[in-house]
Amino acid sequence: MSSIQGNSAQSQTWSAGGYARHAPFVPALGAPLIDRLDPRPGERILDLGCGDGVLTEQIAQRGAATVGVDASPGMIEAARARGLDARLMNVERLTFAEEFDGVFSNAVLHWVKDADAVIAGIYRALRQGGRFVGEFGGHTNIAAISVALRAVLPTHGVDAPADWYYPTPAEYRSRLEAQRFIVNEIALVPRPTPLPTGMAGWLETFRGTLLDTLPPEKRQAAKDEIIELLRPSLCDERGQWTADYVRLRFTAQKP
Ligand code: BEZ
């Protein structure tokens, strides 16, 4: 699956159980990316930020040999429980050299601090002609949610984070090309995402570590304020919450 599930572990911790309950859409909506990867029997595929291995397993079911990497011990444990070759590794410090036909990454690359280090490691990991197929948060991703966090958290004495890496297609293309990748396609894809456990579940799953920096008595108040700020734009008349996700989707090749 990929969801960095921890490759940004410096700033966010993950629980495989909580993730599966609050964010099943991550692997579910990432599954079509496997068609773009088109893994074949006999190929060797690296799943970068494999999380609990839901998508890695689907790649393996197509006959490819897979290796999943993730920086979250809990996620690696969950992936290994599926019988996968899953390794604890920071995606900014990949240790592979010319051994994969494809690198796959879903919902991970927005967490990384050093995008160039990740791209360099992927380029090194690929064989000549190998492909890099990925999707992650792109420019304007979760814009409403980010604004609400920035509006509320400082009033409780917490700096809203500089946030994550949501590049434009032009910016990410230039990073890929600077490291000799040929970019076959790259585009922003708006993908409004229904949240099975509402904005409360999303905040617990993806901003829980940040909210935990607040004293307990302020934590719930801050969460409620964020939710109420977002309700008019992200919650419909039936109470269904939808996150304002925008994906950056791309395919690149090592010449
Ligand atoms: C994303 O997949 O775009 C995302 C997930 C959690 C927090 C921020 C962004």
Side-chain angles (χ1 to χ4, degrees):
M1 120 193 280
S2 320
S3 42
I4 200 178
Q5 291 94 332
N7 274 312
S8 66
Q10 305 96 314
S11 53
Q12 176 71 44
T13 54
W14 304 99
S15 119
Y19 202 88
R21 186 166 66 256
H22 297 299
F25 53 83
V26 175
L29 299 178
L33 198 62
I34 296 177
D35 290 333
R36 289 175 170 264
L37 175 71
D38 190 20
R40 311 239 172 90
E43 285 192 324
R44 204 167 143 74
I45 303 291
L46 174 65
D47 185 356
L48 189 90
C50 64
D52 62 5
V54 173
L55 293 181
T56 326
E57 192 170 46
Q58 292 177 24
I59 295 168
Q61 281 163 356
R62 297 204 189 188
T66 59
V67 175
V69 293
D70 203 286
S72 162
M75 290 295 187
I76 288 297
E77 198 182 320
R80 286 183 180 159
R82 297 177 190 275
L84 295 167
D85 177 350
R87 307 180 193 178
L88 191 65
M89 198 179 289
N90 185 320
V91 298
E92 293 173 14
R93 292 193 289 275
L94 294 176
T95 56
F96 307 104
E98 312 237 328
E99 54 190 283
F100 292 102
D101 302 290
V103 175
F104 173 87
S105 185
N106 178 53
V108 171
L109 296 166
H110 44 256
W111 298 106
V112 303
K113 295 213 174 351
D114 187 345
D116 293 328
V118 180
I119 295 169
I122 291 167
Y123 192 90
R124 209 165 39 242
L126 283 168
R127 297 189 176 122
Q128 202 177 358
R131 58 211 187 275
F132 175 24
V133 176
E135 188 173 305
F136 65 107
H139 186 58
T140 71
N141 191 45
I142 61 161
I145 299 174
S146 295
V147 168
L149 288 164
R150 289 201 182 97
V152 171
L153 290 177
T155 68
H156 292 272
V158 169
D159 277 344
D163 225 333
W164 282 261
Y165 178 55
Y166 304 137
T168 61
E171 135 107 15
Y172 205 66
R173 172 190 284 275
S174 72
R175 286 187 190 275
L176 289 165
E177 289 178 344
Q179 303 215 34
R180 291 165 287 152
F181 271 110
I182 293 169
V183 179
N184 299 321
E185 58 167 333
I186 186 160
L188 283 180
V189 182
R191 199 202 64 198
T193 299
L195 301 177
T197 56
M199 187 49 60
W202 191 95
L203 288 170
E204 281 303 325
T205 310
F206 294 113
R207 294 296 183 265
T209 309
L210 180 64
L211 291 167
D212 281 343
T213 62
L214 287 165
E217 69 279 7
K218 286 189 176 175
R219 192 183 193 279
Q220 189 58 45
K223 212 172 132 183
D224 290 346
E225 284 171 39
I226 294 163
I227 289 171
E228 289 318 310
L229 258 185
L230 288 169
R231 190 180 297 283
S233 21
L234 299 185
C235 186
D236 72 14
E237 70 288 353
R238 293 170 296 119
Q240 173 64 55
W241 284 87
T242 301
D244 50 340
Y245 279 18
V246 177
R247 308 283 89 186
L248 181 64
R249 188 180 287 164
F250 62 91
T251 305
Q253 190 162 26
K254 177 172 178 173

Coordinates of all heavy atoms in Angstrom, one line a residue, residues 27-88:
P27 N -5.3 2.4 0.8 CA -5.0 1.3 -0.1 C -6.1 1.1 -1.2 O -5.8 0.8 -2.3 CB -4.9 0.1 0.8 CG -5.6 0.4 2.0 CD -5.5 1.9 2.2
A28 N -7.4 1.4 -0.7 CA -8.5 1.1 -1.7 C -8.4 2.1 -2.9 O -8.5 1.6 -4.0 CB -9.8 1.3 -1.0
L29 N -8.1 3.3 -2.6 CA -8.0 4.3 -3.7 C -6.7 4.2 -4.4 O -6.5 4.8 -5.5 CB -8.4 5.7 -3.2 CG -9.8 5.8 -2.7 CD1 -10.0 7.2 -2.1 CD2 -10.8 5.4 -3.7
G30 N -5.7 3.6 -3.8 CA -4.4 3.4 -4.4 C -4.3 2.2 -5.3 O -3.4 2.1 -6.1
A31 N -5.3 1.3 -5.2 CA -5.2 0.1 -6.0 C -5.1 0.3 -7.5 O -4.3 -0.4 -8.2 CB -6.4 -0.8 -5.7
P32 N -5.8 1.3 -8.1 CA -5.7 1.5 -9.6 C -4.3 1.9 -10.0 O -3.9 1.6 -11.2 CB -6.6 2.7 -9.8 CG -7.6 2.7 -8.7 CD -6.9 2.2 -7.5
L33 N -3.5 2.4 -9.1 CA -2.1 2.7 -9.4 C -1.3 1.4 -9.8 O -0.3 1.4 -10.5 CB -1.4 3.4 -8.2 CG -0.2 4.2 -8.4 CD1 -0.4 5.3 -9.4 CD2 0.4 4.7 -7.1
I34 N -1.8 0.3 -9.2 CA -1.1 -1.0 -9.6 C -1.3 -1.3 -11.1 O -0.4 -1.9 -11.7 CB -1.7 -2.1 -8.7 CG1 -1.3 -1.9 -7.2 CG2 -1.1 -3.5 -9.1 CD1 -1.9 -2.9 -6.2
D35 N -2.5 -0.9 -11.6 CA -2.7 -1.1 -13.1 C -1.6 -0.3 -13.8 O -1.2 -0.7 -14.9 CB -4.1 -0.7 -13.5 CG -5.1 -1.7 -12.9 OD1 -4.7 -2.9 -12.7 OD2 -6.2 -1.3 -12.7
R36 N -1.4 0.9 -13.4 CA -0.4 1.7 -14.1 C 1.0 1.1 -14.0 O 1.8 1.2 -14.9 CB -0.3 3.1 -13.4 CG -1.5 3.9 -13.8 CD -1.6 5.2 -13.1 NE -2.6 6.0 -13.6 CZ -2.5 6.9 -14.6 NH1 -1.3 7.2 -15.1 NH2 -3.5 7.5 -15.1
L37 N 1.3 0.5 -12.8 CA 2.6 -0.2 -12.6 C 2.7 -1.4 -13.5 O 3.7 -1.7 -14.1 CB 2.8 -0.6 -11.2 CG 4.0 -1.4 -10.8 CD1 5.2 -0.5 -10.9 CD2 3.9 -2.0 -9.4
D38 N 1.6 -2.1 -13.7 CA 1.5 -3.3 -14.5 C 2.6 -4.3 -14.1 O 3.4 -4.7 -15.0 CB 1.5 -2.9 -16.0 CG 1.2 -4.1 -16.9 OD1 0.5 -5.1 -16.4 OD2 1.5 -4.1 -18.0
P39 N 2.6 -4.8 -12.9 CA 3.6 -5.7 -12.5 C 3.5 -7.1 -13.2 O 2.3 -7.5 -13.4 CB 3.4 -5.9 -11.0 CG 2.0 -5.5 -10.8 CD 1.6 -4.5 -11.8
R40 N 4.5 -7.7 -13.6 CA 4.5 -8.9 -14.4 C 5.2 -10.0 -13.6 O 6.1 -9.8 -12.9 CB 5.1 -8.8 -15.7 CG 4.7 -7.5 -16.5 CD 4.0 -7.9 -17.8 NE 3.4 -6.7 -18.4 CZ 4.1 -5.8 -19.2 NH1 5.3 -6.1 -19.5 NH2 3.5 -4.8 -19.6
P41 N 4.8 -11.3 -13.9 CA 5.5 -12.4 -13.2 C 7.0 -12.3 -13.6 O 7.3 -12.0 -14.7 CB 4.8 -13.6 -13.9 CG 3.5 -13.2 -14.3 CD 3.6 -11.7 -14.7
G42 N 7.8 -12.6 -12.6 CA 9.2 -12.6 -12.8 C 9.9 -11.3 -12.5 O 11.1 -11.2 -12.4
E43 N 9.0 -10.2 -12.4 CA 9.6 -8.9 -12.1 C 9.9 -8.8 -10.6 O 9.2 -9.4 -9.8 CB 8.7 -7.8 -12.6 CG 8.7 -7.6 -14.1 CD 8.0 -6.3 -14.5 OE1 7.0 -5.9 -13.9 OE2 8.5 -5.7 -15.4
R44 N 10.7 -7.8 -10.3 CA 11.0 -7.5 -8.9 C 10.6 -6.1 -8.7 O 11.1 -5.2 -9.4 CB 12.5 -7.7 -8.7 CG 13.0 -8.0 -7.3 CD 14.5 -8.4 -7.4 NE 15.1 -7.9 -6.2 CZ 15.0 -8.4 -5.0 NH1 14.2 -9.4 -4.8 NH2 15.6 -7.9 -3.9
I45 N 9.7 -5.9 -7.7 CA 9.1 -4.6 -7.5 C 9.3 -4.1 -6.0 O 9.1 -4.9 -5.1 CB 7.6 -4.6 -7.7 CG1 7.2 -5.1 -9.1 CG2 6.9 -3.3 -7.4 CD1 7.6 -4.2 -10.2
L46 N 9.8 -2.9 -5.9 CA 9.9 -2.3 -4.5 C 8.7 -1.4 -4.2 O 8.3 -0.6 -5.0 CB 11.2 -1.4 -4.5 CG 11.4 -0.6 -3.3 CD1 11.7 -1.5 -2.1 CD2 12.6 0.4 -3.5
D47 N 8.0 -1.7 -3.1 CA 6.9 -0.9 -2.6 C 7.5 0.1 -1.6 O 7.8 -0.3 -0.4 CB 5.8 -1.7 -2.1 CG 4.6 -0.9 -1.7 OD1 4.6 0.4 -1.8 OD2 3.5 -1.4 -1.3
L48 N 7.6 1.3 -2.0 CA 8.2 2.4 -1.1 C 7.2 2.9 -0.1 O 6.2 3.6 -0.5 CB 8.7 3.5 -2.0 CG 9.6 4.5 -1.4 CD1 11.1 4.1 -1.5 CD2 9.4 5.8 -2.1
G49 N 7.3 2.6 1.1 CA 6.3 3.1 2.1 C 5.2 2.1 2.1 O 4.0 2.5 1.9
C50 N 5.5 0.8 2.3 CA 4.5 -0.2 2.1 C 3.4 -0.3 3.1 O 2.4 -0.9 2.9 CB 5.2 -1.6 2.0 SG 6.0 -2.1 3.5
G51 N 3.6 0.4 4.2 CA 2.6 0.3 5.3 C 2.3 -1.1 5.7 O 3.2 -1.9 5.8
D52 N 1.0 -1.4 5.9 CA 0.7 -2.7 6.4 C 0.7 -3.8 5.2 O 0.3 -4.9 5.4 CB -0.6 -2.7 7.1 CG -1.8 -2.3 6.3 OD1 -1.6 -2.1 5.1 OD2 -2.9 -2.2 6.8
G53 N 1.1 -3.3 4.0 CA 1.3 -4.3 2.9 C 0.1 -4.7 2.1 O 0.2 -5.6 1.3
V54 N -1.0 -3.9 2.3 CA -2.2 -4.3 1.5 C -1.9 -4.2 0.0 O -2.3 -5.2 -0.7 CB -3.4 -3.3 1.8 CG1 -4.6 -3.6 0.9 CG2 -3.8 -3.5 3.3
L55 N -1.3 -3.2 -0.5 CA -1.1 -3.1 -1.9 C 0.1 -3.9 -2.3 O 0.2 -4.4 -3.4 CB -0.9 -1.6 -2.3 CG -2.1 -0.7 -2.2 CD1 -1.8 0.7 -2.6 CD2 -3.3 -1.3 -2.9
T56 N 1.1 -4.0 -1.5 CA 2.3 -4.9 -1.8 C 1.8 -6.3 -2.1 O 2.2 -7.0 -3.0 CB 3.3 -5.0 -0.6 OG1 3.3 -3.8 0.1 CG2 4.7 -5.4 -1.0
E57 N 0.8 -6.8 -1.3 CA 0.3 -8.1 -1.4 C -0.4 -8.2 -2.8 O -0.3 -9.2 -3.5 CB -0.7 -8.4 -0.3 CG -1.2 -9.8 -0.2 CD -1.9 -10.0 1.1 OE1 -2.8 -9.2 1.4 OE2 -1.7 -11.0 1.8
Q58 N -1.1 -7.2 -3.2 CA -1.8 -7.2 -4.5 C -0.8 -7.2 -5.6 O -1.0 -7.9 -6.7 CB -2.7 -6.0 -4.6 CG -3.9 -6.1 -3.7 CD -4.8 -4.9 -3.8 OE1 -4.9 -4.2 -4.8 NE2 -5.5 -4.6 -2.7
I59 N 0.3 -6.5 -5.5 CA 1.4 -6.6 -6.5 C 1.9 -8.0 -6.6 O 2.1 -8.6 -7.7 CB 2.5 -5.5 -6.2 CG1 1.9 -4.1 -6.3 CG2 3.7 -5.7 -7.1 CD1 2.8 -3.0 -5.7
A60 N 2.2 -8.6 -5.4 CA 2.7 -9.9 -5.4 C 1.8 -10.9 -6.0 O 2.2 -11.9 -6.7 CB 3.0 -10.3 -3.9
Q61 N 0.4 -10.7 -5.8 CA -0.6 -11.6 -6.4 C -0.5 -11.6 -7.9 O -1.0 -12.5 -8.5 CB -2.0 -11.3 -5.9 CG -2.2 -11.8 -4.4 CD -3.3 -11.1 -3.7 OE1 -4.0 -10.2 -4.3 NE2 -3.6 -11.6 -2.5
R62 N 0.1 -10.6 -8.5 CA 0.2 -10.5 -9.9 C 1.5 -11.3 -10.4 O 1.8 -11.2 -11.6 CB 0.2 -9.1 -10.4 CG -1.1 -8.4 -10.1 CD -1.3 -7.3 -11.1 NE -2.5 -6.5 -10.7 CZ -2.9 -5.5 -11.5 NH1 -2.4 -5.2 -12.6 NH2 -4.0 -4.8 -11.1
G63 N 2.2 -11.9 -9.5 CA 3.3 -12.7 -9.9 C 4.7 -12.1 -9.7 O 5.7 -12.7 -10.0
A64 N 4.7 -10.8 -9.3 CA 6.0 -10.2 -9.2 C 6.6 -10.5 -7.8 O 5.8 -10.8 -6.8 CB 5.9 -8.6 -9.3
A65 N 7.9 -10.5 -7.7 CA 8.5 -10.6 -6.4 C 8.6 -9.2 -5.8 O 9.0 -8.3 -6.4 CB 9.9 -11.2 -6.5
T66 N 8.2 -9.1 -4.5 CA 8.1 -7.8 -3.9 C 9.0 -7.6 -2.7 O 9.2 -8.6 -2.0 CB 6.6 -7.4 -3.5 OG1 6.2 -8.4 -2.5 CG2 5.7 -7.4 -4.7
V67 N 9.4 -6.4 -2.5 CA 10.1 -6.0 -1.3 C 9.3 -4.7 -0.8 O 9.2 -3.8 -1.6 CB 11.6 -5.7 -1.5 CG1 12.2 -5.2 -0.1 CG2 12.3 -6.9 -1.9
G68 N 8.9 -4.7 0.4 CA 8.3 -3.5 0.9 C 9.2 -2.8 1.9 O 9.8 -3.5 2.7
V69 N 9.3 -1.5 1.9 CA 10.0 -0.8 2.9 C 9.1 0.2 3.6 O 8.3 0.8 3.0 CB 11.3 -0.2 2.4 CG1 12.3 -1.2 1.9 CG2 11.0 0.9 1.3
D70 N 9.4 0.4 4.9 CA 8.6 1.4 5.6 C 9.4 1.7 6.9 O 10.2 0.9 7.4 CB 7.2 0.9 6.0 CG 6.2 2.0 6.3 OD1 6.3 2.6 7.3 OD2 5.3 2.2 5.4
A71 N 9.2 2.9 7.4 CA 9.9 3.3 8.6 C 9.2 3.1 9.9 O 9.7 3.4 11.0 CB 10.3 4.8 8.5
S72 N 8.0 2.5 9.8 CA 7.2 2.3 11.0 C 7.3 0.8 11.4 O 6.8 -0.1 10.6 CB 5.7 2.7 10.7 OG 4.9 2.1 11.7
P73 N 7.9 0.5 12.6 CA 8.0 -0.9 13.0 C 6.6 -1.6 13.0 O 6.5 -2.7 12.6 CB 8.6 -0.8 14.4 CG 9.3 0.5 14.4 CD 8.5 1.4 13.5
G74 N 5.6 -0.9 13.5 CA 4.2 -1.5 13.6 C 3.7 -1.9 12.2 O 3.1 -3.0 12.1
M75 N 3.9 -1.0 11.2 CA 3.5 -1.3 9.9 C 4.3 -2.5 9.3 O 3.7 -3.4 8.6 CB 3.6 -0.1 9.0 CG 2.6 1.0 9.4 SD 0.9 0.4 9.1 CE 0.0 2.0 9.4
I76 N 5.6 -2.5 9.5 CA 6.4 -3.6 9.0 C 5.9 -4.9 9.6 O 5.8 -6.0 8.9 CB 7.9 -3.3 9.3 CG1 8.4 -2.2 8.4 CG2 8.7 -4.6 9.1 CD1 8.4 -2.5 6.9
E77 N 5.6 -4.9 10.9 CA 5.1 -6.1 11.6 C 3.8 -6.6 10.9 O 3.7 -7.8 10.6 CB 4.9 -5.8 13.0 CG 4.8 -7.0 13.9 CD 4.5 -6.6 15.4 OE1 5.1 -5.5 15.8 OE2 3.7 -7.2 16.0
A78 N 2.9 -5.6 10.6 CA 1.7 -6.0 10.0 C 1.9 -6.5 8.6 O 1.2 -7.5 8.1 CB 0.7 -4.8 9.9
A79 N 2.8 -5.9 7.8 CA 3.1 -6.4 6.5 C 3.7 -7.8 6.5 O 3.4 -8.7 5.7 CB 4.1 -5.4 5.8
R80 N 4.6 -8.0 7.5 CA 5.2 -9.4 7.6 C 4.2 -10.4 8.0 O 4.3 -11.6 7.5 CB 6.4 -9.4 8.6 CG 7.6 -8.6 8.1 CD 8.7 -8.7 9.1 NE 9.9 -8.0 8.6 CZ 10.8 -7.5 9.4 NH1 10.8 -7.6 10.7 NH2 11.9 -6.9 8.8
A81 N 3.2 -10.0 8.7 CA 2.1 -11.0 9.1 C 1.4 -11.5 7.9 O 0.7 -12.5 7.9 CB 1.2 -10.3 10.1
R82 N 1.5 -10.7 6.8 CA 0.9 -11.2 5.5 C 1.8 -12.1 4.7 O 1.5 -12.5 3.6 CB 0.6 -10.0 4.6 CG -0.5 -9.0 5.1 CD -0.6 -7.8 4.2 NE -1.4 -6.8 4.8 CZ -2.7 -6.8 4.8 NH1 -3.4 -7.7 4.1 NH2 -3.4 -5.8 5.4
G83 N 3.0 -12.3 5.3 CA 3.9 -13.2 4.6 C 4.8 -12.4 3.6 O 5.5 -13.1 2.8
L84 N 4.8 -11.1 3.7 CA 5.6 -10.3 2.8 C 7.0 -10.1 3.2 O 7.3 -10.1 4.4 CB 4.9 -8.9 2.6 CG 3.5 -9.0 2.0 CD1 2.8 -7.6 2.2 CD2 3.6 -9.3 0.5
D85 N 7.9 -9.9 2.3 CA 9.3 -9.4 2.6 C 9.2 -7.9 2.8 O 9.1 -7.1 1.9 CB 10.2 -9.7 1.4 CG 11.6 -9.2 1.6 OD1 11.9 -8.5 2.5 OD2 12.5 -9.6 0.7
A86 N 9.1 -7.5 4.1 CA 9.0 -6.1 4.4 C 10.1 -5.7 5.3 O 10.4 -6.5 6.3 CB 7.6 -5.9 5.1
R87 N 10.7 -4.6 5.0 CA 12.0 -4.2 5.7 C 11.8 -2.8 6.3 O 11.3 -1.9 5.7 CB 13.2 -4.3 4.8 CG 13.2 -5.6 4.1 CD 14.4 -5.6 3.1 NE 14.3 -6.8 2.2 CZ 15.1 -7.1 1.3 NH1 16.2 -6.3 1.0 NH2 14.9 -8.2 0.5
L88 N 12.3 -2.7 7.5 CA 12.3 -1.4 8.2 C 13.4 -0.5 7.6 O 14.6 -0.9 7.7 CB 12.6 -1.6 9.7 CG 12.3 -0.4 10.6 CD1 10.9 0.0 10.6 CD2 12.8 -0.8 12.0

